[in-house]
Amino acid sequence: MDNGFRSLHPFVIFLYYVLAIAMIMLYQHPFFLTFACLLLVIFNFVLDQGKMLKRWVSMMIVLSLLFLILTPLTNHRGSHILFYLFNSAITLEALVQGLLNTLTLIAILTLTITFNYCMTSDKFLFLFSKWMPKWSLLAMLSVRFVPLLNRRLMEITTVQKGKGLSVASGPLKQRVKHGLLLVQVLLTWSLEDGIQTADSMSARAYGLQKRTKYTPYRLHMNDGFMILILAGLTGTGIFGWWLGDGVLTLTPFLEPTILYGREWVFFTIYVLIIGFPLIVEGKEAIQWQYWKR
């Protein structure tokens, strides 16, 4: 049973993800982005002790290193030249830009990892099936596709290892042969499952009439209050971004990374938006402890 942040109305949950991504993209400042990554990592551990996050850590590290390395090599703008590499200037501004890109990537990936956990297929279809039935179904199938393939590939690999077929050991030609066999089995399994799903949907007359909702989610007063809070905080945050606060200027001069004056106000608003699920979870935990007493 859902509780805490997941117990909110699907519209509130979806609105949070949209607004959080918007804030992460707008506020390009290392101080803001670092706290966003920290809050989202904590959110992952609150949900499932970081199990989903651990599956993506290796990919996130590789992508982060690529951003950190490629950005200074391709971007040579800036007046603070650190050194020359292959007759190309490596500037401090380019390194900072690479850091901003890396933190933005980590924050968005960490946020989207929790999307499937909080925004289930039933909630997603509840929101969009009335207006975009085909697109909502296609979107959910696409989101489900990659994790499903990954899980099936692990199952096939385990079975093949029991038969002595491995892609991690042996001659290169043999490993390539075993890898192609794994892909063949995976594609065959996926196609068969797709045909079965299509037959099942056709037998249930899916798409012939207006889709009924399995779970009647209702918008309560508490959900409306949450929407107003998120809208108010986001509006104030966008106003701060419009004023130029929370955005690190790189050119023509490199702005100091220390926050000054009203930037702390907009930083607090930024933290409240990104950490909104943690606030909801903390509120539920306090209420639970109170009622247990």
Side-chain angles (χ1 to χ4, degrees):
M1 181 177 180
D2 289 349
N3 51 37
F5 178 71
R6 288 170 291 164
S7 65
L8 297 177
H9 193 272
F11 180 76
V12 181
I13 299 175
F14 186 78
L15 180 65
Y16 162 75
Y17 280 98
V18 173
L19 298 181
I21 292 177
M23 289 293 102
I24 291 171
M25 297 300 295
L26 292 178
Y27 280 86
Q28 292 293 297
H29 192 288
F31 194 77
F32 283 72
L33 292 173
T34 300
F35 271 84
C37 294
L38 180 62
L39 290 173
L40 293 174
V41 168
I42 296 175
F43 180 39
N44 274 269
F45 277 89
V46 169
L47 287 179
D48 63 344
Q49 290 77 45
K51 294 179 181 178
M52 293 184 295
L53 183 62
K54 292 175 183 177
R55 300 176 186 175
W56 297 89
V57 166
S58 57
M59 187 194 72
M60 293 171 64
I61 292 175
V62 173
L63 292 177
S64 300
L65 292 176
L66 286 176
F67 271 90
L68 286 174
I69 295 173
L70 294 179
T71 303
L73 294 178
T74 56
N75 182 11
H76 306 294
R77 299 178 60 185
S79 57
H80 297 78
I81 300 176
L82 300 178
F83 58 91
Y84 286 88
L85 182 64
F86 304 116
N87 295 325
S88 299
I90 304 299
T91 62
L92 178 60
E93 288 83 354
L95 288 175
V96 175
Q97 184 64 57
L99 177 63
L100 292 176
N101 295 340
T102 301
L103 291 175
T104 303
L105 175 69
I106 294 175
I108 292 179
L109 286 178
T110 308
L111 180 65
T112 52
I113 285 172
T114 63
F115 182 81
N116 286 337
Y117 197 82
C118 298
M119 196 70 183
T120 60
S121 58
D122 192 44
K123 294 178 180 178
F124 191 88
L125 290 175
F126 171 81
L127 288 178
F128 298 103
S129 61
K130 182 178 180 180
W131 313 105
M132 300 179 294
K134 295 182 180 179
W135 283 102
S136 59
L137 178 63
L138 182 61
M140 288 311 305
L141 291 177
S142 302
V143 171
R144 177 177 173 266
F145 187 68
V146 175
L148 180 63
L149 285 183
N150 186 31
R151 184 170 64 252
R152 287 178 176 175
L153 184 60
M154 293 177 61
E155 294 177 3
I156 296 171
T157 303
T158 303
V159 173
Q160 295 297 334
K161 282 184 178 180
K163 297 180 180 180
L165 305 177
S166 175
V167 295
S169 59
L172 178 60
K173 183 178 180 180
Q174 187 178 10
R175 283 186 291 170
V176 171
K177 183 179 179 181
H178 294 167
L180 292 175
L181 180 61
L182 291 178
V183 174
Q184 178 184 354
V185 176
L186 177 63
L187 292 177
T188 303
W189 188 2
S190 300
L191 290 174
E192 290 179 354
D193 185 69
I195 294 174
Q196 291 177 1
T197 302
D199 291 340
S200 176
M201 293 173 64
S202 177
R204 298 176 186 181
Y206 187 88
L208 296 181
Q209 297 179 356
K210 183 179 178 181
R211 183 182 182 273
T212 57
K213 296 177 175 59
Y214 180 74
T215 305
Y217 295 101
R218 300 184 183 278
L219 192 66
H220 300 286
M221 185 178 297
N222 182 48
D223 299 314
F225 182 65
M226 297 291 181
I227 294 174
L228 292 177
I229 291 178
L230 284 174
L233 291 175
T234 305
T236 309
I238 293 176
F239 177 70
W241 168 79
W242 179 74
L243 293 175
D245 296 332
V247 180
L248 187 66
T249 303
L250 300 177
T251 57
F253 61 91
L254 182 61
E255 183 184 2
T257 57
I258 302 175
L259 302 184
Y260 294 99
R262 66 188 182 196
E263 283 188 319
W264 285 104
V265 176
F266 295 114
F267 171 74
T268 304
I269 295 173
Y270 181 85
V271 169
L272 290 176
I273 296 174
I274 303 298
F276 176 76
L278 295 177
I279 298 174
V280 176
E281 294 287 343
K283 170 179 167 293
E284 293 291 333
I286 293 174
Q287 287 183 342
W288 174 247
Q289 293 297 328
Y290 173 78
W291 288 111
K292 283 203 306 183
R293 292 180 181 178

mmCIF file of all heavy atoms in Angstrom, residues 106-121:
data_model
loop_
_atom_site.group_PDB
_atom_site.id
_atom_site.type_symbol
_atom_site.label_atom_id
_atom_site.label_comp_id
_atom_site.label_asym_id
_atom_site.label_seq_id
_atom_site.Cartn_x
_atom_site.Cartn_y
_atom_site.Cartn_z
ATOM 1 N N ILE A 106 23.440 14.032 -13.185
ATOM 2 C CA ILE A 106 23.254 13.167 -12.016
ATOM 3 C C ILE A 106 21.920 13.459 -11.339
ATOM 4 O O ILE A 106 21.185 12.544 -10.937
ATOM 5 C CB ILE A 106 24.421 13.353 -11.028
ATOM 6 C CG1 ILE A 106 25.723 12.844 -11.646
ATOM 7 C CG2 ILE A 106 24.146 12.631 -9.720
ATOM 8 C CD1 ILE A 106 26.939 13.102 -10.796
ATOM 9 N N ALA A 107 21.582 14.752 -11.205
ATOM 10 C CA ALA A 107 20.335 15.121 -10.538
ATOM 11 C C ALA A 107 19.121 14.611 -11.313
ATOM 12 O O ALA A 107 18.189 14.043 -10.726
ATOM 13 C CB ALA A 107 20.267 16.641 -10.376
ATOM 14 N N ILE A 108 19.124 14.785 -12.633
ATOM 15 C CA ILE A 108 17.974 14.354 -13.432
ATOM 16 C C ILE A 108 17.859 12.838 -13.451
ATOM 17 O O ILE A 108 16.759 12.281 -13.314
ATOM 18 C CB ILE A 108 18.088 14.919 -14.860
ATOM 19 C CG1 ILE A 108 17.920 16.436 -14.836
ATOM 20 C CG2 ILE A 108 17.035 14.290 -15.781
ATOM 21 C CD1 ILE A 108 18.040 17.089 -16.180
ATOM 22 N N LEU A 109 18.990 12.132 -13.593
ATOM 23 C CA LEU A 109 18.945 10.668 -13.578
ATOM 24 C C LEU A 109 18.479 10.143 -12.221
ATOM 25 O O LEU A 109 17.665 9.215 -12.146
ATOM 26 C CB LEU A 109 20.325 10.100 -13.920
ATOM 27 C CG LEU A 109 20.768 10.195 -15.378
ATOM 28 C CD1 LEU A 109 22.174 9.635 -15.540
ATOM 29 C CD2 LEU A 109 19.809 9.462 -16.292
ATOM 30 N N THR A 110 18.988 10.738 -11.141
ATOM 31 C CA THR A 110 18.582 10.313 -9.804
ATOM 32 C C THR A 110 17.108 10.567 -9.571
ATOM 33 O O THR A 110 16.427 9.786 -8.897
ATOM 34 C CB THR A 110 19.419 11.054 -8.748
ATOM 35 O OG1 THR A 110 20.815 10.914 -9.045
ATOM 36 C CG2 THR A 110 19.169 10.482 -7.366
ATOM 37 N N LEU A 111 16.601 11.669 -10.148
ATOM 38 C CA LEU A 111 15.179 11.971 -10.006
ATOM 39 C C LEU A 111 14.321 11.010 -10.811
ATOM 40 O O LEU A 111 13.312 10.488 -10.315
ATOM 41 C CB LEU A 111 14.924 13.410 -10.451
ATOM 42 C CG LEU A 111 13.479 13.910 -10.376
ATOM 43 C CD1 LEU A 111 13.011 13.961 -8.925
ATOM 44 C CD2 LEU A 111 13.350 15.284 -11.014
ATOM 45 N N THR A 112 14.704 10.754 -12.047
ATOM 46 C CA THR A 112 13.892 9.887 -12.908
ATOM 47 C C THR A 112 13.941 8.424 -12.480
ATOM 48 O O THR A 112 13.042 7.651 -12.834
ATOM 49 C CB THR A 112 14.354 10.007 -14.365
ATOM 50 O OG1 THR A 112 15.774 9.782 -14.438
ATOM 51 C CG2 THR A 112 14.059 11.395 -14.913
ATOM 52 N N ILE A 113 14.978 8.026 -11.742
ATOM 53 C CA ILE A 113 15.044 6.647 -11.257
ATOM 54 C C ILE A 113 13.852 6.346 -10.350
ATOM 55 O O ILE A 113 13.324 5.228 -10.352
ATOM 56 C CB ILE A 113 16.384 6.412 -10.529
ATOM 57 C CG1 ILE A 113 17.520 6.297 -11.547
ATOM 58 C CG2 ILE A 113 16.336 5.140 -9.678
ATOM 59 C CD1 ILE A 113 18.895 6.254 -10.922
ATOM 60 N N THR A 114 13.419 7.347 -9.593
ATOM 61 C CA THR A 114 12.297 7.146 -8.673
ATOM 62 C C THR A 114 10.944 7.292 -9.357
ATOM 63 O O THR A 114 9.912 7.059 -8.713
ATOM 64 C CB THR A 114 12.376 8.154 -7.521
ATOM 65 O OG1 THR A 114 12.238 9.493 -8.055
ATOM 66 C CG2 THR A 114 13.698 8.047 -6.795
ATOM 67 N N PHE A 115 10.927 7.678 -10.629
ATOM 68 C CA PHE A 115 9.652 7.967 -11.298
ATOM 69 C C PHE A 115 8.774 6.716 -11.366
ATOM 70 O O PHE A 115 7.584 6.761 -11.026
ATOM 71 C CB PHE A 115 9.919 8.517 -12.700
ATOM 72 C CG PHE A 115 8.678 8.897 -13.446
ATOM 73 C CD1 PHE A 115 8.071 10.116 -13.207
ATOM 74 C CD2 PHE A 115 8.104 8.047 -14.376
ATOM 75 C CE1 PHE A 115 6.915 10.489 -13.887
ATOM 76 C CE2 PHE A 115 6.956 8.402 -15.068
ATOM 77 C CZ PHE A 115 6.361 9.630 -14.820
ATOM 78 N N ASN A 116 9.341 5.603 -11.830
ATOM 79 C CA ASN A 116 8.550 4.375 -11.948
ATOM 80 C C ASN A 116 8.100 3.857 -10.588
ATOM 81 O O ASN A 116 7.073 3.172 -10.493
ATOM 82 C CB ASN A 116 9.368 3.292 -12.655
ATOM 83 C CG ASN A 116 9.494 3.543 -14.141
ATOM 84 O OD1 ASN A 116 8.669 4.235 -14.727
ATOM 85 N ND2 ASN A 116 10.527 3.007 -14.753
ATOM 86 N N TYR A 117 8.869 4.171 -9.546
ATOM 87 C CA TYR A 117 8.522 3.693 -8.208
ATOM 88 C C TYR A 117 7.340 4.482 -7.637
ATOM 89 O O TYR A 117 6.474 3.917 -6.958
ATOM 90 C CB TYR A 117 9.736 3.834 -7.291
ATOM 91 C CG TYR A 117 9.643 3.026 -6.016
ATOM 92 C CD1 TYR A 117 9.977 1.673 -6.004
ATOM 93 C CD2 TYR A 117 9.236 3.612 -4.826
ATOM 94 C CE1 TYR A 117 9.896 0.937 -4.847
ATOM 95 C CE2 TYR A 117 9.148 2.875 -3.665
ATOM 96 C CZ TYR A 117 9.482 1.539 -3.674
ATOM 97 O OH TYR A 117 9.384 0.809 -2.516
ATOM 98 N N CYS A 118 7.295 5.778 -7.914
ATOM 99 C CA CYS A 118 6.226 6.630 -7.379
ATOM 100 C C CYS A 118 5.062 6.773 -8.349
ATOM 101 O O CYS A 118 3.904 6.811 -7.935
ATOM 102 C CB CYS A 118 6.783 8.012 -7.035
ATOM 103 S SG CYS A 118 8.052 8.029 -5.767
ATOM 104 N N MET A 119 5.383 6.870 -9.636
ATOM 105 C CA MET A 119 4.358 7.073 -10.662
ATOM 106 C C MET A 119 4.140 5.753 -11.384
ATOM 107 O O MET A 119 4.757 5.461 -12.416
ATOM 108 C CB MET A 119 4.818 8.158 -11.631
ATOM 109 C CG MET A 119 3.709 8.709 -12.490
ATOM 110 S SD MET A 119 2.561 9.682 -11.519
ATOM 111 C CE MET A 119 1.369 10.077 -12.783
ATOM 112 N N THR A 120 3.269 4.917 -10.835
ATOM 113 C CA THR A 120 3.028 3.601 -11.407
ATOM 114 C C THR A 120 2.266 3.729 -12.730
ATOM 115 O O THR A 120 1.747 4.795 -13.080
ATOM 116 C CB THR A 120 2.223 2.736 -10.429
ATOM 117 O OG1 THR A 120 0.970 3.372 -10.172
ATOM 118 C CG2 THR A 120 2.981 2.576 -9.117
ATOM 119 N N SER A 121 2.200 2.621 -13.456
ATOM 120 C CA SER A 121 1.512 2.633 -14.746
ATOM 121 C C SER A 121 0.040 2.968 -14.588
ATOM 122 O O SER A 121 -0.554 3.653 -15.423
ATOM 123 C CB SER A 121 1.678 1.273 -15.432
ATOM 124 O OG SER A 121 1.164 0.237 -14.615
#
